Amino acid sequence: MTASVAIFFVLAADPAAKAPPWEEAAKDNGITIYSRALPGSEVLEMKAIGTIDAKPHEVWKALRDYPNYTKTMPYTVEAKVVGQEDGDKVIYFYSRLDLPLVDNRDYLIKILDESDWKEGAGYLKVSWTKFDAKKGDSRFVEEKDGVVRTPVNDGYWKLEPRDNGNKTWATYYVHSDPGGAVPKWIANKANSTAVPNVFAAIRKVVADDRAKSASAEKK
């Protein structure tokens, strides 16, 4: 066992080896971005919080529109749901990203609806983690030449009502490693840019949907 592996297991087994507090990394258009080190990982955890001028269910609709991520999410060139369980409580999702300066990345994730919502109170929450499907499984997506499968992709969105349910307080968390030969400091820098961009993209989708609905009502 190498020293680095041994240290990882010690950190994982020691309940006192907790992640340090979140540190504010930036503020951008009403979004506050935080980062922190995760024991055992060279890639930082990232979190963004802010208000979205829409009801939680409007934001939820935008987040859950996975097949249209090619139109709404930055760098996304392929997006498809490859499986579902328990209605849409569990979703298996594949996506490929065309990123600047590096090879394409892709990922296969398992998405869970962890909402606790009743009569306009509580929260809506969707979380995800990397999923490995074996060949022969209907959810299997074969790796492509020139595309790096990301080794780590964990995250969640949590939506809470504000202003009598007319606005949403959103928390977006991600811990993602692009893999390949990308240096970790570049990965961290890329994530610090991607997080507010994704948050802004969701805001735009919701605003566009609202504008379309208002226009349709006037006709």
Side-chain angles (χ1 to χ4, degrees):
M1 181 182 293
T2 66
S4 60
V5 173
I7 290 171
F8 172 80
F9 280 114
V10 169
L11 289 170
D14 182 4
K18 297 179 180 179
W22 289 101
E23 295 183 3
E24 186 176 311
K27 286 189 176 180
D28 181 21
N29 194 25
I31 304 168
T32 305
I33 300 100
Y34 297 90
S35 66
R36 72 177 179 185
L38 179 67
S41 174
E42 295 181 78
V43 179
L44 297 174
E45 295 177 290
M46 303 295 301
K47 179 173 71 172
I49 59 173
T51 301
I52 299 177
D53 189 14
K55 297 178 180 179
H57 273 100
E58 293 176 293
V59 182
W60 184 252
K61 179 183 175 183
L63 289 175
R64 303 278 280 175
D65 190 11
Y66 301 114
N68 277 320
Y69 271 22
T70 53
K71 301 174 183 176
T72 60
M73 290 292 105
Y75 308 118
T76 303
V77 293
E78 193 173 351
K80 60 183 178 181
V81 172
V82 296
Q84 291 184 218
E85 297 172 0
D86 193 15
D88 62 355
K89 290 289 186 180
V90 182
I91 291 176
Y92 299 89
F93 177 63
Y94 169 80
S95 183
R96 179 168 60 87
L97 309 177
D98 185 2
L99 301 170
L101 305 178
V102 297
D103 289 338
N104 279 203
R105 260 54 180 177
D106 70 356
Y107 57 83
L108 180 61
I109 55 175
K110 180 179 181 179
I111 303 170
L112 302 178
D113 180 350
E114 298 182 324
S115 303
D116 184 3
W117 184 267
K118 186 177 181 181
E119 298 177 356
Y123 58 85
L124 297 170
K125 183 179 179 182
V126 59
S127 67
W128 61 89
T129 191
K130 178 177 176 284
F131 179 75
D132 292 315
K134 296 181 179 180
K135 199 164 187 176
D137 189 318
S138 61
R139 299 161 297 185
F140 174 77
V141 179
E142 192 164 0
E143 296 190 23
K144 301 175 174 66
D145 290 340
V147 180
V148 177
R149 183 68 50 91
T150 58
V152 178
N153 191 337
D154 301 315
Y156 68 80
W157 278 93
K158 185 176 181 180
L159 312 176
E160 301 170 88
R162 294 290 188 271
D163 191 19
N164 296 317
N166 292 309
K167 294 185 179 181
T168 301
W169 180 254
T171 303
Y172 171 48
Y173 162 86
V174 66
H175 179 235
S176 178
D177 186 340
V182 177
K184 300 309 178 188
W185 70 269
I186 292 181
N188 287 325
K189 187 174 180 62
N191 284 339
S192 68
T193 301
V195 166
N197 286 348
V198 170
F199 203 108
I202 289 296
R203 276 180 167 175
K204 184 178 185 306
V205 174
V206 173
D208 288 349
D209 286 346
R210 281 194 149 197
K212 290 177 184 176
S213 296
S215 178
E217 289 175 2
K218 290 179 180 179
K219 293 180 180 180

